[in-house]
Amino acid sequence: MLKVNPFGPSLSMFNKIPFSLLYRRGFRRAFRIFQAGHCNSFAKPVSIANVNVNFFAVDKTRNLSAVATAKKSGLNASSSSSRTNEMTNKAKKKARMESPEFLLKIKLDMCSKHGKLEEALRLYDESISNGVSLNLHHYNMLLYLCAREASGDGSQLNELKELGLKRGFEIFQKMVGDEVSPNETTFTSMARLAVAREDPHMAFELVKQMKSLGIPPRLRSYGPALLGFCEKGNAEKAYEVDAHMFESGVTPEEPELSALLKVSINTKKADKVYEMLQRLRASVRQVSESTLQVVEDWFKSKDAASVGAEKWDVKQIKEAVIGGGGGWHGLGWLGSGRWRVVRTEMTENGVCRSCGEKLVCIDIDPKETENFAAKLTELACSKEVRADFVQFQEWLQQHGPFDAVVDGANVALINSEAFNLNQ
């Protein structure tokens, strides 16, 4: 059971959700019995399919051919029972596919595919009036369509937006009343509905509820709350969501980093601007036009011209550039004054057509190098004799460091299809 929500009635609907998430899976097995003959000769095998067996007591000391000495009448009875079971299974499958619940699922899937909210709501109301029992899939399809229209991803008609927002919370209340346990998809749709109602606080609380229930949040689960706070200009709450993502092992992508960069610029948090630019550089190889516009707006602003150190240690900066992989020192803004911002192109040799400087070759930074080495050591120890690899590490420490490694096996295969030890 969930605890009472301290954030008001907007989340009180979660108080009655039971989360019994235990499932049992049955297994069916098919066995083939071979009839044994004499003098190591075997007769044609007899097949028995779809036989339900609960337990077997096997005496491994006895000849298995004893199993095949069943009377012919017994085999015929088993075959007849098998055919009866097969017919029963077909009838059950047909009945299931013709059930109101299955037909509703098919229709809602088509509504979801084509974005037809009004048709989905009509089917929902009709099913409720006819007493059809809705499951998690039904509710998730309905909530997805409601959130899609409410957040503006579907039609641009305000009537549909209002309809999706109103019926989305109404349907979720019914889901809670039916004691249907939600999953990550449910929470994500509700988070989108919450932001559409301009309530990113509720969207963030939904993510926290997920984590407390053992449901791992995904990037799309955090997106509504993070983007909602950024749109409202609430930088501190946006940073809080960002920190929560880090704790959950969720990595933001360009849309989230761009939103964090923009809210940092608007709230004049220069250190955060620097941090977001560095994260964009590390994780996004090519930014979109919208993100590029945000970056340009920053460097053209008066705030960008006013921040930066007047004096710095040149030696320290050079060491930081080398230690950071080249091209980035990570020590904050250097210098002050207005930036010169132009769009340019690079030559084939990596030279800027505007300033004439050549692009710096960027290597992985020390932290990434350390992580890579640790993973490599772990992999080597799992595939090779640990003592041998540890001995190799000790040898490297005594005779290293080395700038390059020559792979002898690959050298021996140069210009040859066969391994050449002399080469």
Side-chain angles (χ1 to χ4, degrees), residues 186-210:
T186 315
F187 278 104
T188 298
S189 294
M190 291 307 300
R192 295 178 66 192
L193 284 168
V195 171
R197 200 171 66 175
E198 298 185 357
D199 191 356
H201 292 276
M202 178 183 177
F204 191 24
E205 287 305 311
L206 285 166
V207 177
K208 293 178 181 178
Q209 292 271 9
M210 290 175 60

mmCIF file of all heavy atoms in Angstrom, residues 186-210:
data_model
loop_
_atom_site.group_PDB
_atom_site.id
_atom_site.type_symbol
_atom_site.label_atom_id
_atom_site.label_comp_id
_atom_site.label_asym_id
_atom_site.label_seq_id
_atom_site.Cartn_x
_atom_site.Cartn_y
_atom_site.Cartn_z
ATOM 1 N N THR A 186 2.154 3.515 -17.168
ATOM 2 C CA THR A 186 1.063 4.230 -16.510
ATOM 3 C C THR A 186 1.567 5.505 -15.855
ATOM 4 O O THR A 186 0.992 6.593 -16.035
ATOM 5 C CB THR A 186 0.404 3.338 -15.442
ATOM 6 O OG1 THR A 186 0.183 2.035 -15.961
ATOM 7 C CG2 THR A 186 -0.908 3.937 -14.971
ATOM 8 N N PHE A 187 2.644 5.384 -15.094
ATOM 9 C CA PHE A 187 3.186 6.550 -14.395
ATOM 10 C C PHE A 187 3.662 7.618 -15.379
ATOM 11 O O PHE A 187 3.487 8.811 -15.136
ATOM 12 C CB PHE A 187 4.338 6.120 -13.486
ATOM 13 C CG PHE A 187 3.888 5.562 -12.169
ATOM 14 C CD1 PHE A 187 3.923 4.196 -11.923
ATOM 15 C CD2 PHE A 187 3.431 6.390 -11.166
ATOM 16 C CE1 PHE A 187 3.525 3.680 -10.711
ATOM 17 C CE2 PHE A 187 3.025 5.886 -9.939
ATOM 18 C CZ PHE A 187 3.063 4.526 -9.715
ATOM 19 N N THR A 188 4.261 7.187 -16.474
ATOM 20 C CA THR A 188 4.753 8.155 -17.454
ATOM 21 C C THR A 188 3.602 8.931 -18.082
ATOM 22 O O THR A 188 3.683 10.155 -18.259
ATOM 23 C CB THR A 188 5.570 7.430 -18.540
ATOM 24 O OG1 THR A 188 6.703 6.794 -17.938
ATOM 25 C CG2 THR A 188 6.049 8.407 -19.607
ATOM 26 N N SER A 189 2.525 8.247 -18.436
ATOM 27 C CA SER A 189 1.354 8.931 -18.998
ATOM 28 C C SER A 189 0.764 9.908 -18.000
ATOM 29 O O SER A 189 0.378 11.030 -18.353
ATOM 30 C CB SER A 189 0.304 7.904 -19.430
ATOM 31 O OG SER A 189 0.761 7.109 -20.503
ATOM 32 N N MET A 190 0.702 9.505 -16.736
ATOM 33 C CA MET A 190 0.143 10.389 -15.717
ATOM 34 C C MET A 190 1.057 11.589 -15.467
ATOM 35 O O MET A 190 0.585 12.697 -15.189
ATOM 36 C CB MET A 190 -0.082 9.617 -14.415
ATOM 37 C CG MET A 190 -1.206 8.588 -14.487
ATOM 38 S SD MET A 190 -2.768 9.303 -15.071
ATOM 39 C CE MET A 190 -3.078 10.544 -13.819
ATOM 40 N N ALA A 191 2.358 11.386 -15.581
ATOM 41 C CA ALA A 191 3.304 12.508 -15.435
ATOM 42 C C ALA A 191 3.089 13.520 -16.554
ATOM 43 O O ALA A 191 3.133 14.740 -16.335
ATOM 44 C CB ALA A 191 4.738 11.989 -15.434
ATOM 45 N N ARG A 192 2.859 13.031 -17.761
ATOM 46 C CA ARG A 192 2.591 13.930 -18.888
ATOM 47 C C ARG A 192 1.280 14.690 -18.680
ATOM 48 O O ARG A 192 1.182 15.874 -19.009
ATOM 49 C CB ARG A 192 2.550 13.128 -20.189
ATOM 50 C CG ARG A 192 3.877 12.497 -20.574
ATOM 51 C CD ARG A 192 3.753 11.678 -21.838
ATOM 52 N NE ARG A 192 3.452 12.511 -22.989
ATOM 53 C CZ ARG A 192 3.072 12.031 -24.173
ATOM 54 N NH1 ARG A 192 2.935 10.712 -24.339
ATOM 55 N NH2 ARG A 192 2.818 12.853 -25.184
ATOM 56 N N LEU A 193 0.286 14.003 -18.143
ATOM 57 C CA LEU A 193 -0.986 14.670 -17.849
ATOM 58 C C LEU A 193 -0.810 15.731 -16.769
ATOM 59 O O LEU A 193 -1.410 16.805 -16.830
ATOM 60 C CB LEU A 193 -2.026 13.639 -17.417
ATOM 61 C CG LEU A 193 -2.646 12.788 -18.534
ATOM 62 C CD1 LEU A 193 -3.429 11.615 -17.946
ATOM 63 C CD2 LEU A 193 -3.565 13.641 -19.410
ATOM 64 N N ALA A 194 0.026 15.425 -15.780
ATOM 65 C CA ALA A 194 0.266 16.383 -14.696
ATOM 66 C C ALA A 194 0.917 17.651 -15.228
ATOM 67 O O ALA A 194 0.540 18.769 -14.849
ATOM 68 C CB ALA A 194 1.143 15.741 -13.622
ATOM 69 N N VAL A 195 1.901 17.505 -16.119
ATOM 70 C CA VAL A 195 2.563 18.680 -16.694
ATOM 71 C C VAL A 195 1.618 19.440 -17.604
ATOM 72 O O VAL A 195 1.654 20.673 -17.668
ATOM 73 C CB VAL A 195 3.839 18.243 -17.442
ATOM 74 C CG1 VAL A 195 4.432 19.401 -18.230
ATOM 75 C CG2 VAL A 195 4.874 17.710 -16.459
ATOM 76 N N ALA A 196 0.750 18.722 -18.309
ATOM 77 C CA ALA A 196 -0.252 19.393 -19.139
ATOM 78 C C ALA A 196 -1.196 20.230 -18.273
ATOM 79 O O ALA A 196 -1.738 21.239 -18.733
ATOM 80 C CB ALA A 196 -1.046 18.360 -19.939
ATOM 81 N N ARG A 197 -1.350 19.834 -17.029
ATOM 82 C CA ARG A 197 -2.157 20.605 -16.077
ATOM 83 C C ARG A 197 -1.287 21.641 -15.354
ATOM 84 O O ARG A 197 -1.689 22.210 -14.353
ATOM 85 C CB ARG A 197 -2.808 19.654 -15.058
ATOM 86 C CG ARG A 197 -4.004 20.236 -14.358
ATOM 87 C CD ARG A 197 -4.733 19.198 -13.542
ATOM 88 N NE ARG A 197 -3.963 18.695 -12.411
ATOM 89 C CZ ARG A 197 -4.446 17.853 -11.512
ATOM 90 N NH1 ARG A 197 -5.684 17.402 -11.639
ATOM 91 N NH2 ARG A 197 -3.699 17.429 -10.515
ATOM 92 N N GLU A 198 -0.055 21.828 -15.867
ATOM 93 C CA GLU A 198 0.910 22.782 -15.315
ATOM 94 C C GLU A 198 1.238 22.465 -13.861
ATOM 95 O O GLU A 198 1.314 23.353 -13.015
ATOM 96 C CB GLU A 198 0.399 24.221 -15.458
ATOM 97 C CG GLU A 198 0.196 24.648 -16.902
ATOM 98 C CD GLU A 198 -0.187 26.105 -17.019
ATOM 99 O OE1 GLU A 198 -0.351 26.762 -15.977
ATOM 100 O OE2 GLU A 198 -0.314 26.590 -18.161
ATOM 101 N N ASP A 199 1.475 21.181 -13.606
ATOM 102 C CA ASP A 199 1.802 20.735 -12.260
ATOM 103 C C ASP A 199 3.024 19.812 -12.317
ATOM 104 O O ASP A 199 2.917 18.596 -12.121
ATOM 105 C CB ASP A 199 0.612 20.001 -11.633
ATOM 106 C CG ASP A 199 0.798 19.741 -10.142
ATOM 107 O OD1 ASP A 199 1.883 20.076 -9.623
ATOM 108 O OD2 ASP A 199 -0.124 19.208 -9.507
ATOM 109 N N PRO A 200 4.224 20.369 -12.605
ATOM 110 C CA PRO A 200 5.421 19.521 -12.653
ATOM 111 C C PRO A 200 5.780 18.913 -11.305
ATOM 112 O O PRO A 200 6.459 17.886 -11.252
ATOM 113 C CB PRO A 200 6.516 20.483 -13.138
ATOM 114 C CG PRO A 200 6.018 21.842 -12.800
ATOM 115 C CD PRO A 200 4.527 21.773 -12.910
ATOM 116 N N HIS A 201 5.324 19.542 -10.202
ATOM 117 C CA HIS A 201 5.565 18.966 -8.876
ATOM 118 C C HIS A 201 4.916 17.584 -8.773
ATOM 119 O O HIS A 201 5.513 16.640 -8.255
ATOM 120 C CB HIS A 201 5.010 19.889 -7.787
ATOM 121 C CG HIS A 201 5.753 21.178 -7.668
ATOM 122 N ND1 HIS A 201 6.910 21.306 -6.920
ATOM 123 C CD2 HIS A 201 5.514 22.405 -8.204
ATOM 124 C CE1 HIS A 201 7.353 22.546 -6.997
ATOM 125 N NE2 HIS A 201 6.530 23.240 -7.769
ATOM 126 N N MET A 202 3.686 17.470 -9.275
ATOM 127 C CA MET A 202 3.003 16.176 -9.252
ATOM 128 C C MET A 202 3.735 15.170 -10.133
ATOM 129 O O MET A 202 3.883 14.001 -9.763
ATOM 130 C CB MET A 202 1.565 16.334 -9.733
ATOM 131 C CG MET A 202 0.790 15.022 -9.800
ATOM 132 S SD MET A 202 -0.871 15.239 -10.453
ATOM 133 C CE MET A 202 -1.441 13.538 -10.474
ATOM 134 N N ALA A 203 4.225 15.630 -11.291
ATOM 135 C CA ALA A 203 4.953 14.737 -12.185
ATOM 136 C C ALA A 203 6.215 14.193 -11.505
ATOM 137 O O ALA A 203 6.549 13.010 -11.646
ATOM 138 C CB ALA A 203 5.327 15.481 -13.468
ATOM 139 N N PHE A 204 6.906 15.046 -10.758
ATOM 140 C CA PHE A 204 8.107 14.615 -10.053
ATOM 141 C C PHE A 204 7.765 13.639 -8.922
ATOM 142 O O PHE A 204 8.472 12.652 -8.696
ATOM 143 C CB PHE A 204 8.855 15.827 -9.510
ATOM 144 C CG PHE A 204 10.237 15.530 -8.990
ATOM 145 C CD1 PHE A 204 10.952 14.426 -9.438
ATOM 146 C CD2 PHE A 204 10.839 16.360 -8.056
ATOM 147 C CE1 PHE A 204 12.224 14.159 -8.972
ATOM 148 C CE2 PHE A 204 12.110 16.096 -7.582
ATOM 149 C CZ PHE A 204 12.801 14.995 -8.047
ATOM 150 N N GLU A 205 6.663 13.913 -8.229
ATOM 151 C CA GLU A 205 6.244 13.000 -7.167
ATOM 152 C C GLU A 205 5.869 11.633 -7.718
ATOM 153 O O GLU A 205 6.089 10.603 -7.072
ATOM 154 C CB GLU A 205 5.059 13.607 -6.404
ATOM 155 C CG GLU A 205 5.437 14.753 -5.500
ATOM 156 C CD GLU A 205 6.529 14.377 -4.516
ATOM 157 O OE1 GLU A 205 6.404 13.318 -3.864
ATOM 158 O OE2 GLU A 205 7.517 15.112 -4.402
ATOM 159 N N LEU A 206 5.319 11.605 -8.925
ATOM 160 C CA LEU A 206 4.987 10.322 -9.550
ATOM 161 C C LEU A 206 6.251 9.498 -9.789
ATOM 162 O O LEU A 206 6.263 8.276 -9.584
ATOM 163 C CB LEU A 206 4.257 10.569 -10.869
ATOM 164 C CG LEU A 206 2.795 11.019 -10.755
ATOM 165 C CD1 LEU A 206 2.300 11.556 -12.091
ATOM 166 C CD2 LEU A 206 1.918 9.874 -10.298
ATOM 167 N N VAL A 207 7.319 10.152 -10.223
ATOM 168 C CA VAL A 207 8.587 9.448 -10.430
ATOM 169 C C VAL A 207 9.117 8.903 -9.108
ATOM 170 O O VAL A 207 9.616 7.774 -9.040
ATOM 171 C CB VAL A 207 9.622 10.382 -11.085
ATOM 172 C CG1 VAL A 207 10.959 9.673 -11.243
ATOM 173 C CG2 VAL A 207 9.136 10.859 -12.442
ATOM 174 N N LYS A 208 9.014 9.693 -8.062
ATOM 175 C CA LYS A 208 9.459 9.222 -6.751
ATOM 176 C C LYS A 208 8.631 8.031 -6.282
ATOM 177 O O LYS A 208 9.161 7.088 -5.671
ATOM 178 C CB LYS A 208 9.355 10.359 -5.732
ATOM 179 C CG LYS A 208 10.316 11.519 -5.984
ATOM 180 C CD LYS A 208 10.111 12.619 -4.954
ATOM 181 C CE LYS A 208 11.042 13.798 -5.186
ATOM 182 N NZ LYS A 208 10.809 14.890 -4.208
ATOM 183 N N GLN A 209 7.307 8.063 -6.565
ATOM 184 C CA GLN A 209 6.440 6.938 -6.217
ATOM 185 C C GLN A 209 6.908 5.679 -6.936
ATOM 186 O O GLN A 209 6.953 4.589 -6.363
ATOM 187 C CB GLN A 209 4.992 7.261 -6.615
ATOM 188 C CG GLN A 209 4.342 8.368 -5.811
ATOM 189 C CD GLN A 209 3.645 7.823 -4.569
ATOM 190 O OE1 GLN A 209 3.778 6.660 -4.232
ATOM 191 N NE2 GLN A 209 2.895 8.684 -3.904
ATOM 192 N N MET A 210 7.246 5.830 -8.230
ATOM 193 C CA MET A 210 7.713 4.684 -9.002
ATOM 194 C C MET A 210 8.921 4.034 -8.340
ATOM 195 O O MET A 210 8.971 2.816 -8.162
ATOM 196 C CB MET A 210 8.102 5.130 -10.419
ATOM 197 C CG MET A 210 6.966 5.538 -11.307
ATOM 198 S SD MET A 210 7.575 6.160 -12.882
ATOM 199 C CE MET A 210 8.450 4.742 -13.501
#
